[in-house]
Amino acid sequence: MRFQVHSIPQAIADEVRRTRVSPGYGHPAHLELARGTGPCRCCLRQFIPGQEQRLLFTYRPTAGQSLNAPGPVFIHAEHCEAWSGEGFPPGLRGLPLAIEARAAGSRVTALTTDHEHAPETRIAALFESGAEWLHLRHAEAGCFIAVVVA
Ligand SMILES: [Zn+2]
């Protein structure tokens, strides 16, 4: 099936790089040398630990309605291009992913941390079972990565 993965919008990533504060919250964004692979929530590529600088800030996904919880996310400290295009971003392959199915009112209607099947298979199954959109999360850290829409 066809689907699109939406990263943090380019304008928001650029704003955080310019202002060094979390949009909508005003907390300072934290600059550090990457200690893990992330991924970057803008370009959806994994960080090179010990080599790339990253910014940590609080972000609230805007898809759906108001029950989307804010949480910590990382982006590259230097400019990178927000992911766009159809299909599953190659930079996310190999990461432990939890996929949340969301429906009206931003209710979580299903959650999978299955690693045996390809992400495309898991995404298709959740949409076929009635999800309106999906959230990708890091299965170990729990943090928001991206929104998936059909
Ligand atoms: Zn990036």
Side-chain angles (χ1 to χ4, degrees), residues 9-20 42 75 79-80:
Q10 186 76 56
I12 290 179
D14 291 345
E15 178 190 342
V16 172
R17 292 182 181 115
R18 188 179 68 250
T19 64
R20 297 294 169 95
C42 181
I75 60 171
H79 177 81
C80 63

Side-chain angles (χ1 to χ4, degrees), residues 21-97:
V21 298
S22 300
Y25 295 96
H27 310 149
H30 174 71
L31 176 68
E32 66 172 33
L33 190 61
R35 289 176 287 148
T37 56
C40 172
R41 270 56 166 193
C42 181
C43 63
L44 302 183
R45 289 186 300 108
Q46 296 178 46
F47 297 109
I48 303 169
Q51 292 186 31
E52 293 182 304
Q53 294 284 329
R54 63 187 185 180
L55 286 167
L56 172 67
F57 63 98
T58 302
Y59 177 71
R60 185 174 197 174
T62 53
Q65 298 178 17
S66 62
L67 291 177
N68 291 321
V73 293
F74 288 109
I75 60 171
H76 281 108
E78 300 295 327
H79 177 81
C80 63
E81 291 293 323
W83 165 263
S84 66
E86 290 207 359
F88 193 77
L92 299 183
R93 291 199 191 279
L95 285 173
L97 293 176

